């Protein structure tokens, strides 16, 4: 019995050391802040209060969801999907995305076809549609709704060492259409897994889920 107990302790200790090393070298656990603009822009992929695992090493590619330093608010982050890498030509017209002449549009509807967010300007509840788009490594969730009154088409040539970021919420975005291209070296942190949502451990719909 003592040998079994010591063996279990050794295994747990080893796992703890491995976890600490991974945490220090390649992983970060981040709780999405309760920021109205960020929360709206990330929907439906993420929501305020989500505890997510972030890979902090490597070079994310086209279609991956990344965390980058906020260019307008030091100490804060922006979240967006890489929709253009150096040399790409990106055209965005509200929900329509064309990269190098290839269109990226809905492939299939979401399990829940509608979602509700709060308008970051007014706080009023707004209903949006949810679908799924194939970009890079796989399908990701996209929210679409009304076209903002002053929204215009964006045509961008992605410069060397930069990326074009696109919000998964195409109607309430906070992305490169708002703050321009971002340094590629600063956007090297991929959001890959959700440990739990704002509801905590009891929210089994958002617990232990891969972030598309």
């Amino acid at each position: 019995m003592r040998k079994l107990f010591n063996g279990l302790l050794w295994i747990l200790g080893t796992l703890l050391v491995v976890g600490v090393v991974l945490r220090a070298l390649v992983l970060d656990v981040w709780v999405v802040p309760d920021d109205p603009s960020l929360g709206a822009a990330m929907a439906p992929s993420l929501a305020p209060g989500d505890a997510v695992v972030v890979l902090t090493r490597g070079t994310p590619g086209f279609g991956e969801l990344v965390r980058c330093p906020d260019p307008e608010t030091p100490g804060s982050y922006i979240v967006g999907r890489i929709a253009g890498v150096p040399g790409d030509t990106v055209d965005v017209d509200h929900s329509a995305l064309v990269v190098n002449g290839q269109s990226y549009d809905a492939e299939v509807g979401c399990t829940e076809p509608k979602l509700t967010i709060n308008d970051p300007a007014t706080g009023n509840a707004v209903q949006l549609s949810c679908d799924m788009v194939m970009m890079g490594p796989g399908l990701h969730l996209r929210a679409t709704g009304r076209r903002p009154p002053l929204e215009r088409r964006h045509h961008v040539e992605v410069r060397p060492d930069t990326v074009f970021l696109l919000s998964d919420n195409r109607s309430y975005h906070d992305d490169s259409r708002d703050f321009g291209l971002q340094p590629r070296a600063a956007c090297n942190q991929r959001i890959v897994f959700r440990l739990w949502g704002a509801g905590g451990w009891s929210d089994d719909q958002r617990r232990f889920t891969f972030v598309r």
Side-chain angles (χ1 to χ4, degrees), residues 15-210:
L15 291 175
L16 179 62
V17 170
V18 170
V20 169
V21 170
L22 287 175
R23 173 72 172 80
L25 295 179
V26 298
L27 298 178
D28 185 24
V29 175
W30 180 53
V31 177
V32 179
D34 187 12
D35 177 277
S37 295
L38 178 64
M42 297 184 304
S45 299
L46 295 175
D50 283 349
V52 296
V53 175
V54 183
L55 291 180
T56 59
R57 295 292 185 271
T59 303
F62 179 77
E64 294 192 285
L65 192 67
V66 296
R67 182 184 73 172
C68 317
D70 191 324
E72 300 170 345
T73 308
S76 298
Y77 292 104
I78 53 176
V79 172
R81 198 167 297 278
I82 296 179
V85 298
D88 284 346
T89 299
V90 180
D91 290 277
V92 183
D93 188 6
H94 184 41
S95 62
L97 170 66
V98 178
V99 182
N100 301 328
Q102 180 174 344
S103 177
Y104 295 89
D105 207 346
E107 300 273 346
V108 65
C110 299
T111 304
E112 297 292 336
K114 298 292 182 181
L115 69 147
T116 302
I117 66 162
N118 291 328
D119 186 312
T122 65
N124 295 332
V126 180
Q127 190 175 75
L128 302 173
S129 297
C130 179
D131 54 33
M132 303 180 75
V133 180
M134 178 69 74
M135 284 177 66
L139 288 166
H140 75 85
L141 304 176
R142 178 184 71 169
T144 59
R146 65 96 175 96
R147 184 187 184 101
L150 301 179
E151 185 87 324
R152 60 183 179 83
R153 176 177 172 270
H154 288 257
H155 174 85
V156 179
E157 302 285 341
V158 183
R159 300 189 304 270
D161 302 319
T162 64
V163 290
F164 185 95
L165 299 178
L166 190 65
S167 295
D168 284 346
N169 188 341
R170 303 295 171 80
S171 294
Y172 291 87
H173 53 77
D174 186 26
D175 55 27
S176 287
R177 289 171 286 180
D178 306 294
F179 45 66
L181 297 170
Q182 294 301 296
R184 190 171 195 179
C187 294
N188 65 341
Q189 301 184 355
R190 285 172 284 178
I191 300 173
V192 294
F193 193 76
R194 178 174 28 242
L195 297 172
W196 52 77
W201 187 257
S202 61
D203 184 0
D204 59 0
Q205 296 298 312
R206 303 184 71 82
R207 183 181 66 209
F208 285 0
T209 53
F210 286 98

